[in-house]
Amino acid sequence: MKVLANDGLDQSGIDALTEKGFEVITAKVPQEFLVDYINEHKIRTLLVRSATQVRKDIIDGCPSLDIIGRGGVGMDNIDVDYAREKGIHVINTPSASSESVAELVFAHLFSGARFLQDSNRKMPLVGDTEFAGLKKAYAAGIELRGKTIGIVGMGRIGQEVARIALGLGMRVVAADNNVGKASIKVKFYNNQFINVDIETEPLQEVLKHSDFITLHVPAQKDGYMIGKNEFEIMKDGVAVVNCSRGGVIDEAALIQALDSGKVRFAGLDVFINEPTPSKEILGHSKISLTPHTGASTLEAQDRIGLSLAEQISSILQIQ
Ligand SMILES: O=C(O)[C@H](O)COP(=O)(O)O
């Protein structure tokens, strides 16, 4: 029983699968050779992250496949319905990375609020006499405490963001077409639990009233969710973070809003044309940028590996 983990797999998953008798191959097979590789090696389970595309050509070309597994949440790189129609099991790990993605949201928020991305870029480049100038340029930082964070998408990650925000003393507002009221349980260090009910509001209201906006929605099929019109209704000096999918924000409109000062800063873990961001995004002093690493923590990948191994064993009924 061969498993090809084409975008890698944490050792936890490799060990758990090997223990059950699977042979786990972690070769990174280029997209164009994937069909031949899977057939030649009689692969029955294909595991991917977001890099490998599992489209109709792979599904039709590889009749040996029983399972397609996504180590992560978003399955926009897999033709899920088509694969299921063909009788292939398609699985993912929806809850394994929520904490890690939510923490990255705050890494971007703190970075932008205190100009870390710009000082990291500039300090190695300036001479002694210019440091004072930089200090002045970075003097107008802002605090998160007491500010309003607007969470767009109150799924697992959105709720984890809310938990951290409440712990930081932020006011939380949220929009979600599917969740009317999110009940969040917050645990504090003294082991006290507090239940907080967050009623969702229409997107426009959240955009209007938030100091910070963070997006937790799937890849958009019908154009940008946040474009010129949406930036216009936001507060002056708002900050926007996107750790969901590239293409949710219109990047040209974002650059314009940053340059005009409408948007104070942006944090982007995802962007159009991944893995290569546009020059404008890459060099912008007001953008804190990461290369789609929301789920890339030791803890999240460990949980993802274990979850995939458990699901595969259970589907194939291996005790
Ligand atoms: O959908 C996800 O789980 C994230 O976007 C993570 O993607 P990655 O596994 O490619 O890091």
Side-chain angles (χ1 to χ4, degrees):
M1 289 177 299
K2 289 186 182 171
V3 176
L4 172 62
N6 207 47
D7 297 327
L9 180 66
D10 190 85
Q11 197 60 42
S12 63
I14 297 176
D15 290 347
L17 286 167
T18 308
E19 214 170 274
K20 301 272 184 193
F22 291 93
E23 183 186 337
V24 183
I25 304 168
T26 54
K28 172 76 187 156
V29 183
Q31 194 74 43
E32 63 272 30
F33 302 127
L34 208 45
V35 169
D36 287 345
Y37 190 95
I38 290 172
N39 288 325
E40 197 181 310
H41 291 81
K42 298 189 174 51
I43 304 290
R44 289 181 59 192
T45 299
L46 172 63
L47 302 181
V48 299
R49 286 179 64 175
S50 59
T52 301
Q53 300 292 310
V54 192
R55 301 293 175 207
K56 286 183 181 168
D57 58 325
I58 310 271
I59 296 163
D60 286 337
C62 304
S64 64
L65 280 182
D66 291 323
I67 302 175
I68 299 167
R70 162 65 161 112
V73 184
M75 300 212 277
D76 39 299
N77 55 325
I78 302 171
D79 283 340
V80 176
D81 292 342
Y82 189 71
R84 286 187 176 145
E85 270 169 35
K86 298 273 165 181
I88 300 174
H89 296 269
V90 185
I91 55 173
N92 67 342
T93 58
S95 55
S97 50
S98 314
E99 295 87 348
S100 292
V101 179
E103 288 190 11
L104 185 65
V105 169
F106 285 90
H108 281 299
L109 286 175
F110 282 120
S111 175
R114 305 302 288 271
F115 311 101
L116 301 194
Q117 75 284 343
D118 201 43
S119 56
N120 282 337
R121 282 170 188 145
K122 292 207 178 116
M123 285 188 70
L125 304 176
V126 304
D128 285 353
T129 53
E130 292 164 281
F131 282 120
L134 282 184
K135 180 165 180 183
K136 218 169 164 187
Y138 302 142
I142 52 169
E143 294 181 348
L144 271 60
R145 179 181 298 271
K147 304 286 183 353
T148 299
I149 186 166
I151 303 173
V152 181
M154 276 300 265
R156 292 178 182 84
I157 299 171
Q159 294 193 29
E160 197 55 44
V161 169
R163 247 174 235 121
I164 300 174
L166 291 165
L168 282 170
M170 301 182 85
R171 180 172 165 260
V172 176
V173 296
D176 191 310
N177 290 338
N178 306 310
V179 179
K181 188 164 101 173
S183 191
I184 315 270
K185 207 169 192 195
V186 187
K187 184 185 172 194
F188 290 96
Y189 289 114
N190 56 8
N191 262 341
Q192 277 183 317
F193 288 88
I194 298 183
N195 275 314
V196 182
D197 288 332
I198 297 167
E199 300 262 4
T200 63
E201 301 170 25
L203 176 64
Q204 308 278 318
E205 293 304 306
V206 169
L207 299 183
K208 254 190 239 168
H209 299 124
S210 301
D211 301 301
F212 303 94
I213 294 168
T214 179
L215 304 167
H216 301 288
V217 294
Q220 302 292 294
K221 292 194 179 101
D222 310 317
Y224 305 117
M225 172 181 254
I226 306 294
K228 191 169 180 288
N229 294 342
E230 286 72 26
F231 283 119
E232 265 164 22
I233 63 171
M234 291 178 193
K235 274 187 173 179
D236 290 342
V238 66
V240 179
V241 172
N242 186 13
C243 290
S244 62
R245 280 294 176 269
V248 171
I249 298 182
D250 175 350
E251 291 180 357
L254 172 66
I255 299 286
Q256 220 171 31
L258 286 164
D259 290 344
S260 71
K262 173 79 191 181
V263 172
R264 180 187 297 272
F265 68 85
L268 300 180
D269 186 44
V270 290
F271 34 86
I272 293 166
N273 195 37
E274 281 182 39
T276 316
S278 71
K279 272 210 305 282
E280 292 75 18
I281 294 280
L282 197 55
H284 206 290
S285 61
K286 294 182 182 174
I287 298 182
S288 167
L289 194 60
T290 45
H292 201 145
T293 50
S296 299
T297 61
L298 300 179
E299 293 86 351
Q301 290 306 315
D302 177 73
R303 289 190 291 264
I304 286 170
L306 290 176
S307 167
L308 286 173
E310 269 170 31
Q311 293 183 73
I312 294 165
S313 305
S314 140
I315 290 168
L316 300 177
Q317 296 183 326
I318 295 166
Q319 305 299 319

